[in-house]
Amino acid sequence: TGYFTNKLVTMYASFNYVIRFGLLILTSTFFLTVVQGQVHPPVITKPPANQAVKASTPFVVFECITYGFPVATIRWVRNGITIFNNSRDDDGILKYRIHSNIPTACSIAFPPERCVSLSDLTVFSIRQRDVGQYTCEAQNDFGVVSQSGRLSLKSEGDDNKTAEVAAPTGIALLIIILVCGTLGLMYYFYYKHAKYIIREH
């Protein structure tokens, strides 16, 4: 097997040998098969998204999707430190769970885009110390690529501001509906009354 530029070339050879014993001659046979396919460094098509949640949120999930050939492996990193599956915090509580789907039957005859690797990182029991960058790192024999999503905490004031904005907006909408409804009723009764007057005269 050999690598040439962006092509992966695999050669299979089979050799037979010649045996001469008296009048008996066994001839040699040579087979050569060349299989050629594309190789590609990993490409992340769905990077981890930024997430802002409140403290004590039960969990958040970061997703990462990549492709490449040879098939890329995915590693999760937080602030430069590798995250391991089923890791626990100092209190013994489950903190991280990683679920990865790495194809095992990907062939060099396939386009690299079909050799897709997926990985989800679940972070449990969100606290202030969980804030930071969560990085998806994909690697194969031809390169490594990484992208990050940030986990941040929302303050209680953010929710209050949202409520303060939503309340006046709802009141204004209700006033508009009432005014339009009143005008519509006035027009309806005026129109009927006008028709009645015309008929009387």
Side-chain angles (χ1 to χ4, degrees):
T1 302
Y3 294 102
F4 301 92
T5 63
N6 67 333
K7 301 285 186 180
L8 174 63
V9 179
T10 303
M11 294 179 292
Y12 303 93
S14 176
F15 300 90
N16 290 332
Y17 50 87
V18 177
I19 299 178
R20 295 188 180 187
F21 184 78
L23 298 177
L24 179 62
I25 299 177
L26 298 180
T27 59
S28 62
T29 306
F30 177 83
F31 298 98
L32 177 63
T33 303
V34 178
V35 180
Q36 179 173 303
Q38 293 286 339
V39 296
H40 202 289
V43 175
I44 295 178
T45 57
K46 183 177 182 181
N50 293 331
Q51 302 196 51
V53 299
K54 293 191 295 184
S56 74
T57 297
F59 64 89
V60 296
V61 179
F62 291 98
E63 298 179 309
C64 185
I65 300 178
T66 181
Y67 73 83
F69 191 84
V71 174
T73 58
I74 295 177
R75 181 172 72 110
W76 286 96
V77 178
R78 175 181 178 267
N79 297 340
I81 301 175
T82 300
I83 297 174
F84 297 99
N85 187 31
N86 293 328
S87 297
R88 297 180 179 272
D89 61 15
D90 296 336
D91 300 324
I93 300 174
L94 179 65
K95 177 53 62 177
Y96 302 116
R97 177 166 291 163
I98 300 173
H99 177 264
S100 298
N101 185 3
I102 310 297
T104 57
C106 199
S107 168
I108 61 174
F110 296 163
E113 292 79 4
R114 290 184 57 183
C115 300
V116 178
S117 301
L118 305 89
S119 187
D120 298 337
L121 169 66
T122 304
V123 186
F124 295 97
S125 304
I126 306 305
R127 306 176 187 178
Q128 177 64 43
R129 62 187 180 188
D130 297 318
V131 170
Q133 296 282 350
Y134 289 82
T135 302
C136 168
E137 182 182 281
Q139 182 174 5
N140 66 11
D141 293 340
F142 289 89
V144 57
V145 63
S146 63
Q147 292 198 41
S148 301
R150 180 168 181 80
L151 176 61
S152 58
L153 294 184
K154 294 192 298 185
S155 64
E156 296 297 332
D158 293 338
D159 293 335
N160 294 335
K161 290 178 182 178
T162 302
E164 292 171 1
V165 172
T169 302
I171 294 173
L173 181 60
L174 179 60
I175 292 173
I176 292 172
I177 292 174
L178 290 175
V179 170
C180 291
T182 302
L183 292 176
L185 288 173
M186 291 175 60
Y187 176 78
Y188 172 74
F189 286 115
Y190 174 81
Y191 181 71
K192 289 193 66 175
H193 183 67
K195 288 176 63 177
Y196 176 76
I197 294 175
I198 291 172
R199 288 177 180 175
E200 289 292 326
H201 294 78

